[in-house]
Amino acid sequence: YNAAVKKWKGAYTPSTHRIEQSPFAHGGTFSHELLHALTARGYRRLRTLAQQGDVQAQETVALLGELYAKLLAVAPKGTMNLVEDPDEMMADLLKPEGLALAASIPVGQLSPEAQRAADRLNVRQGDSIMDALIRAVEYMIQLISPNQPVSRDSVAFMIARAAAETATATRATFRS
């Protein structure tokens, strides 16, 4: 959303799995919306598996919830918003402000359930929350596309690029 002109730059519609861009879109808009598409579908699949009793999925949902809670606990007011909708939780985690914060905070102590997911994803207590998010997104992509391997570097690059381009566009909007 471009506050200066009150126009949407892009949107992802989960029900149709469709990305739309407006004439106000910039380079980071597509990357940002693609992350919504990947995480929304992947997180929905993860939650469905968890509800069906898949222990690994339950542990990963617990890990993501704990990481989100850790960020909310230290986020400056107005940086992140506590959201009820799990799809929006993923969007909040992937905002530039959330990623910047996630890159600066270690994972630290976790509940036993979340720790099992962290161990499976090769996340250590000293790793940043952003490292853990990258590994969790990689896992979610594998859930929705098991026959298409995705490298951790490409997931990390996409997340970092979307955050950087969105932050740059946001600064430009506020300056104009």
Side-chain angles (χ1 to χ4, degrees):
Y1 183 73
N2 185 326
V5 293
K6 297 186 168 98
K7 301 278 182 178
W8 291 100
K9 292 183 279 184
Y12 168 66
T13 307
S15 61
T16 60
H17 199 54
R18 181 180 172 152
I19 293 173
E20 296 180 57
Q21 294 189 98
S22 79
F24 303 99
H26 55 77
T29 303
F30 183 75
S31 296
H32 176 83
E33 297 305 334
L34 183 58
L35 283 169
H36 278 298
L38 291 172
T39 59
R41 184 173 265 192
Y43 195 59
R44 191 170 295 119
R45 177 75 179 133
L46 185 68
R47 287 192 334 262
T48 298
L49 290 171
Q51 291 167 349
Q52 293 172 346
D54 183 301
V55 174
Q56 287 186 350
Q58 292 168 347
E59 292 167 348
T60 306
V61 168
L63 173 64
L64 288 167
E66 287 185 35
L67 296 175
Y68 186 52
K70 285 175 184 268
L71 290 177
L72 287 172
V74 298
K77 187 174 182 165
T79 303
M80 298 180 72
N81 304 305
L82 177 62
V83 292
E84 300 295 324
D85 181 348
D87 291 335
E88 289 304 315
M89 177 191 83
M90 290 305 300
D92 208 25
L93 283 168
L94 294 172
K95 290 190 324 189
E97 301 87 349
L99 290 173
L101 191 59
S104 68
I105 298 173
V107 170
Q109 291 290 108
L110 298 167
S111 70
E113 183 180 33
Q115 186 61 56
R116 287 190 294 275
D119 291 343
R120 187 173 29 76
L121 297 173
N122 198 27
V123 173
R124 304 291 170 237
Q125 287 183 358
D127 290 346
S128 72
I129 290 177
M130 183 162 172
D131 292 329
L133 288 172
I134 289 167
R135 290 183 182 116
V137 169
E138 178 186 31
Y139 174 65
M140 288 188 289
I141 292 170
Q142 289 171 356
L143 288 176
I144 61 173
S145 186
N147 297 323
Q148 297 293 321
V150 176
S151 81
R152 183 167 300 138
D153 289 340
S154 64
V155 172
F157 174 78
M158 182 174 287
I159 290 172
R161 179 179 172 160
E165 290 180 357
T166 302
T168 300
T170 301
R171 281 193 299 276
T173 298
F174 287 125
R175 277 184 260 175
S176 56

